């Protein structure tokens, strides 16, 4: 019943002792809806609710200095701890968890919707499209970030993950 608890294992040890092992859920991102924010795990379970600054600080707990949580832009659903977010937010939370691990820090925002869009920390957008073939799309994103010159990036289109298309801003050489 506790939103942050993924698993709890209780053992009875004689005489009269209980041993409890807890596995805590990991924050994947921060869903922001106006002046309210919710911490979500990669499955889209809402772990905590508060103001954006409070929840941002909570996501950063235990992370390296300068770490910023991936923001998930979504609105119009109940922000109650322990509840499951709608499927579109759960998919965005899964993507946020994947990009937080690999490539960490490159993505600032996941825009939840029928088509997924990522905003990069250094500027530009990544079009992921439908929530299919996410493993290949994230691997393609990781490869492009590691190997391509993304200066002046306007859009990186990964809707077909095996055929990335990079478009630069107008006037960029």
């Amino acid at each position: 019943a506790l939103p942050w608890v993924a698993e709890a294992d209780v053992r009875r040890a004689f005489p009269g002792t209980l041993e409890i092992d807890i596995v805590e859920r990991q924050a994947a991102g921060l869903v922001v809806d106006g002046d309210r924010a919710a911490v979500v795990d990669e499955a889209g379970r809402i772990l905590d609710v508060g103001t954006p600054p409070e929840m941002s600080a909570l996501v950063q707990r235990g992370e390296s200095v300068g770490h910023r949580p991936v923001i998930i832009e979504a609105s119009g659903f109940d922000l109650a701890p322990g509840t499951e977010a709608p499927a579109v937010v759960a998919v965005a939370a899964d993507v946020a968890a994947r990009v937080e691990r690999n490539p960490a820090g490159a993505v600032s925002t996941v825009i939840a919707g029928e088509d997924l869009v990522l905003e990069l920390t250094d500027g530009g957008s990544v079009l992921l499209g439908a929530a299919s073939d996410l493993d290949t799309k994230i691997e393609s994103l990781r490869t492009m970030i590691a190997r391509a010159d993304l200066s002046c990036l306007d859009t990186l289109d990964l809707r077909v993950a095996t055929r990335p298309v990079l478009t630069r801003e107008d006037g960029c050489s």
Side-chain angles (χ1 to χ4, degrees):
L2 299 172
W4 283 92
V5 176
E7 292 179 24
D9 183 36
V10 181
R11 291 179 306 285
R12 185 173 172 188
F14 291 100
T17 302
L18 289 178
E19 296 176 354
I20 303 172
D21 291 324
I22 293 176
V23 176
E24 186 177 33
R25 293 180 188 275
Q26 299 300 309
L30 185 66
V31 179
V32 178
D33 185 6
D35 62 348
R36 297 194 63 207
V39 176
V40 293
D41 71 0
E42 63 186 35
R45 183 179 179 89
I46 298 173
L47 305 178
D48 210 340
V49 177
T51 66
E54 291 170 335
M55 295 300 99
S56 181
L58 186 60
V59 172
Q60 293 176 38
R61 177 186 65 186
E63 299 290 343
S64 61
V65 176
H67 170 81
R68 292 188 330 231
V70 174
I71 303 297
I72 300 168
E73 287 186 7
S75 62
F77 67 94
D78 185 28
L79 296 177
T83 62
E84 300 296 325
V88 68
V89 175
V91 169
D94 177 42
V95 169
R98 292 173 190 235
V99 299
E100 187 60 21
R101 290 188 299 264
N102 189 15
V107 176
S108 64
T109 307
V110 177
I111 301 171
E114 191 172 312
D115 288 331
L116 293 164
V117 177
L118 310 179
E119 292 180 356
L120 298 180
T121 304
D122 293 335
S125 297
V126 178
L127 305 178
L128 292 182
S132 60
D133 201 19
L134 286 176
D135 289 335
T136 306
K137 290 175 182 179
I138 298 300
E139 181 63 21
S140 184
L141 173 63
R142 185 189 68 74
T143 301
M144 293 297 289
I145 287 172
R147 297 187 178 169
D149 176 7
L150 299 180
S151 58
C152 301
L153 175 70
D154 181 45
T155 306
L156 175 57
D157 189 340
L158 298 177
R159 291 177 289 185
V160 179
T162 57
R163 299 206 191 316
V165 177
L166 189 143
T167 308
R168 298 196 186 281
E169 296 172 346
D170 288 339
C172 185
S173 55

